Amino acid sequence: MNQRVNWPITILIALGSLIILFPLYITISIALKSPQELAESALSFPLNFHWDNFTRAIEATNFFAAFKNSALITFFTLVFTILSNSLVAYAIARNMHRKLFRMLYYYFVSALFIPFPIIMLPIVKQTSAIGLNNPIGLTILYVVYGMAMNIFIYVGYIRSIPVELEEAAIMDGSSTWGVFWKVIFPLLTPINATIGILTCLWAWNDFLLPLVILSDSADYTLPLVQYVFQTEFGTDYNLAFASYILSMAPMVIIYLFAQRWIIGGVVKGAIK
């Protein structure tokens, strides 16, 4: 059976793809050009691939040290966010009939409406005063700041899970902790995938919070290294664009290898 092509939608999708792919092409082509080729034309395809731009960018930015900092902060933020936020959300979701838990829920959700610039200065002062202006403090802040949105999502999802499943587990002798880890937490896999993706992207790409929290340049993450790199070598665009590609490459590689589980988790979370 012949299927009719929706040409307006197809053209819009093609234009949207071009809008996304064109900046990517510019970034890659400039990263592979020499300064002379870039001066002649920024849009042309590189005649010779200057892979040494990436080597020089790695040396100039101390890339692997910044990569290790970003990877550790992102990993621990992801683990602690999923474990702590899901547990808090479960307690709230199953006790929403109690005034205290209902107030806690609205307290957490109200944090969504507080812009970060308003609380930026107090955070800098407090973390510096208690010695948490380092990667550990940054990880704690990511876990805490993510709670508002994550608890909002978790609570809505957990309330859609039938209570009868927990009652059956309790009848079999399971404790409250056992119910959560053996019954509820496995059922949270789709929403854990969704929150895990959002948390990873946020912790990996965030620039402002590391900028105001991290005081030692040895603790800098990849976005901060890009900033320092850009200000120091602002006129060497070939090196700068090579550094940008190196910074975004890890997340792209993770997505290419894990796209089946990522998309599957998001879809299951959406249709639950």
Side-chain angles (χ1 to χ4, degrees):
M1 184 176 67
N2 293 328
Q3 294 183 344
R4 296 180 61 184
V5 178
N6 190 331
W7 287 108
I9 298 298
T10 303
I11 292 172
L12 283 176
I13 293 174
L15 290 175
S17 301
L18 286 176
I19 292 172
I20 294 173
L21 291 176
F22 182 70
L24 187 61
Y25 162 75
I26 293 294
T27 304
I28 296 174
S29 65
I30 292 178
L32 292 173
K33 288 179 180 178
S34 66
Q36 291 75 21
E37 287 180 287
L38 177 60
E40 293 173 1
S41 174
L43 301 178
S44 64
F45 193 78
L47 299 176
N48 298 305
F49 293 158
H50 292 269
W51 298 105
D52 58 308
N53 288 338
F54 291 92
T55 307
R56 293 167 55 206
I58 289 173
E59 294 173 352
T61 60
N62 197 10
F63 173 80
F64 292 109
F67 176 83
K68 185 186 73 174
N69 293 335
S70 286
L72 288 176
I73 290 171
T74 302
F75 173 77
F76 286 110
T77 299
L78 173 66
V79 171
F80 288 124
T81 293
I82 288 180
L83 293 180
S84 64
N85 289 194
S86 62
L87 191 58
V88 173
Y90 173 66
I92 292 176
R94 289 301 185 236
N95 294 280
M96 283 291 279
H97 57 283
R98 299 181 181 178
K99 187 176 181 181
L100 174 62
F101 288 90
R102 195 162 57 250
M103 288 177 61
L104 279 175
Y105 174 71
Y106 291 121
Y107 173 75
F108 282 121
V109 173
S110 64
L112 290 171
F113 304 99
I114 301 176
F116 177 72
I118 293 178
I119 56 176
M120 184 170 64
L121 184 58
I123 287 173
V124 173
K125 292 289 186 184
Q126 289 176 0
T127 52
S128 178
I130 59 178
L132 284 178
N133 51 347
N134 52 40
I136 295 175
L138 186 60
T139 302
I140 294 172
L141 288 175
Y142 279 139
V143 175
V144 172
Y145 285 136
M147 289 186 79
M149 177 59 75
N150 295 341
I151 285 179
F152 178 72
I153 297 173
Y154 269 128
V155 168
Y157 190 87
I158 291 172
R159 296 190 73 182
S160 69
I161 298 175
V163 182
E164 288 76 10
L165 292 174
E166 302 170 42
E167 293 175 346
I170 293 174
M171 290 289 290
D172 290 338
S174 182
S175 63
T176 304
W177 284 97
V179 169
F180 176 75
W181 293 115
K182 295 178 181 177
V183 178
I184 299 299
F185 196 74
L187 293 174
L188 294 179
T189 301
I191 207 69
N192 281 339
T194 305
I195 290 177
I197 295 164
L198 297 176
T199 302
C200 272
L201 291 175
W202 177 39
W204 186 271
N205 295 322
D206 186 38
F207 169 75
L208 188 56
L209 200 54
L211 178 67
V212 299
I213 295 299
L214 299 178
S215 58
D216 189 348
S217 60
D219 297 330
Y220 280 4
T221 58
L222 281 174
L224 278 187
V225 166
Q226 307 305 310
Y227 174 71
V228 174
F229 174 89
Q230 188 176 12
T231 54
E232 187 175 354
F233 304 95
T235 56
D236 197 335
Y237 294 108
N238 305 97
L239 228 59
F241 278 77
S243 178
Y244 300 155
I245 292 175
L246 288 171
S247 177
M248 71 179 184
M251 275 296 157
V252 174
I253 293 172
I254 289 174
Y255 174 76
L256 290 177
F257 279 100
Q259 58 177 323
R260 184 177 61 179
W261 295 281
I262 292 173
I263 295 174
V266 173
V267 171
K268 288 179 182 176
I271 64 177
K272 176 67 180 177

